[in-house]
Amino acid sequence: MPSRVLGQGDPKPTVSVIMPCHNGQTYVAAAVESVLRQTYTNFEILAVDDGSSDDTPNILRSLAAADPRVITWSQSACGTAAAARNAAVARARGELVAFLDDDDLFHPEKLERSLVGFARRPDIQVVFHDHVRFRHDPHEAEASRFLASRSYVATAADALESIGPSWFVASPEFYRFSSLEYVGMVTNAVMIRRKTLLDEPVVFQTNLRNGEDVDLWLRLIHRCTIAYCDEALSYYRLTGSGVSSDACEVARGDVLVHEANLARGQARFTPADVRRYQAKIAEAWFNLGYAEVQRGQCSAGRRAYRQALRLAPSGRVLAALIKSFAPSGLTGRRSGQAR
């Protein structure tokens, strides 16, 4: 049961911040406190302890006791952040939903600035913004704005229409751009109308160990009106651990997410787009094949290489397939890994 149950007399929050937590004792207090320091204060934090074996549950209970906007409960480990997020979304009361992982941080004006997007146009269903990637301190010299460093506004110029300083609304071209180039949204940098989320058959796909967030973003981009704020309003911690550090799971997630998206959006792609998207998916199959071979699963690696060849024949992939039959001592070097 939640550590605090909201009564009927409690004011309804505008924003529900969803936070899945698993063995996050090192950073979880800082993550929660970054929300509590927001300039916009009408929110609730739904912090789900997903079967932690460290001090995370006690830290969350202490934070909930100190501030009534923090609601926390523990559940048996689901194995994925997707299931924990879904459980919290089901309990959310806010009109809008934001997400924060237990090792990331919000900028103090994250909620206030995101709400501006929804106020600009009533048809906007999703708002996202830039974020800073860091290792130890969000203000360290090595930290950088992720999308700005990739010239996102310029690169996506044909898919974004200015609606004010720092603000853009996505055009129908945005779905094509996000599918064929890359998805600029990350979990801590989005805010979504709760009704929009609940209109989905499932919020986060629990069968995906990696890429469940990108899968949701592509589904929303396919059907929603989306606004982008060209400001860094959250901080993404690079820890080098977790599912995102598993090369096999990353590549497998890429394959599943983009194959599903290609099938979903087929009618919106030209024949040239389809060929280009198939080549992108072939790269993911190639990466999966290489990762499998590297961990000694050569049969699985060959199956992945063959899938890559089926979608986009390539001498590089064929060479990798042939090399996978060589004695293990000769397969250590990678040639032409997809980036």
Side-chain angles (χ1 to χ4, degrees):
M1 292 296 292
S3 293
R4 184 180 65 81
V5 179
L6 291 171
Q8 291 184 342
D10 292 326
K12 186 176 180 180
T14 300
V15 183
S16 296
V17 179
I18 305 300
M19 182 181 297
C21 306
H22 179 73
N23 291 342
Q25 65 179 17
T26 303
Y27 302 118
V28 68
V32 172
E33 287 162 3
S34 76
V35 184
L36 297 178
R37 289 195 296 268
Q38 291 295 296
T39 55
Y40 182 85
T41 60
N42 188 20
F43 60 79
E44 64 179 358
I45 303 172
L46 300 174
V48 191
D49 168 48
D50 190 40
S52 295
S53 58
D54 64 2
D55 204 37
T56 297
N58 292 328
I59 295 170
L60 292 174
R61 283 192 288 268
S62 176
L63 291 163
D67 194 307
R69 295 171 297 179
V70 181
I71 305 165
T72 185
W73 67 95
S74 294
Q75 61 185 28
S76 299
C78 297
T80 66
R85 291 191 193 111
N86 289 346
V89 168
R91 297 191 186 203
R93 300 181 307 140
E95 177 189 350
L96 300 161
V97 174
F99 299 95
L100 182 65
D101 288 345
D102 62 8
D103 54 355
D104 293 340
L105 303 167
F106 278 175
H107 183 282
E109 296 181 7
K110 146 83 179 190
L111 299 184
E112 180 179 350
R113 292 293 294 148
S114 296
L115 287 168
V116 168
F118 293 99
R120 283 185 178 272
R121 280 183 36 176
D123 61 327
I124 287 173
Q125 298 159 284
V126 181
V127 164
F128 76 106
H129 53 75
D130 203 351
H131 65 282
V132 169
R133 298 199 164 194
F134 73 103
R135 294 193 180 278
H136 306 291
D137 185 319
H139 305 294
E140 64 197 11
E142 295 79 8
S144 63
R145 284 183 55 182
F146 181 71
L147 294 179
S149 70
R150 305 180 93 176
S151 302
Y152 186 70
V153 171
T155 304
D158 291 341
L160 297 172
E161 175 190 342
S162 176
I163 55 173
S166 299
W167 280 98
F168 301 83
V169 67
S171 72
E173 174 70 12
F174 189 66
Y175 175 67
R176 178 180 176 275
F177 172 86
S178 300
S179 299
L180 298 179
E181 298 296 339
Y182 62 93
V183 177
M185 302 159 75
V186 298
T187 308
N188 65 33
V190 300
M191 187 180 287
I192 308 167
R193 293 193 187 276
R194 182 162 60 97
K195 182 183 183 303
T196 299
L197 277 179
L198 297 179
D199 284 343
E200 288 291 319
V202 63
V203 181
F204 291 98
Q205 299 275 8
T206 56
N207 63 314
L208 293 172
R209 291 199 65 234
N210 188 275
E212 78 287 348
D213 50 352
V214 176
D215 171 73
L216 175 60
W217 311 149
L218 285 169
R219 283 186 278 135
L220 294 175
I221 293 168
H222 183 253
R223 69 178 181 87
C224 293
T225 302
I226 295 179
Y228 171 63
C229 178
D230 192 31
E231 299 173 11
L233 299 173
S234 60
Y235 304 93
Y236 181 98
R237 191 185 303 270
L238 300 168
T239 62
S241 61
V243 177
S244 60
S245 65
D246 184 326
C248 279
E249 290 300 335
V250 169
R252 186 175 291 109
D254 284 346
V255 166
L256 293 173
V257 166
H258 288 291
E259 285 189 335
N261 187 56
L262 176 57
R264 179 188 309 118
Q266 190 93 20
R268 293 172 64 173
F269 298 128
T270 67
D273 289 339
V274 171
R275 291 191 295 272
R276 184 177 167 192
Y277 208 171
Q278 288 174 331
K280 178 176 180 175
I281 296 169
E283 290 288 326
W285 277 115
F286 175 78
N287 289 339
L288 177 58
Y290 177 77
E292 293 282 20
V293 169
Q294 285 298 100
R295 68 176 188 175
Q297 301 299 315
C298 291
S299 293
R302 290 167 195 146
R303 287 194 294 272
Y305 285 148
R306 290 186 182 106
Q307 289 293 334
L309 287 169
R310 176 183 62 85
L311 287 171
S314 160
R316 180 188 58 163
V317 179
L318 181 60
L321 175 60
I322 294 170
K323 189 176 180 181
S324 72
F325 289 94
S328 59
L330 300 179
T331 61
R333 281 189 64 195
R334 182 169 190 179
S335 175
Q337 177 181 1
R339 290 286 192 260

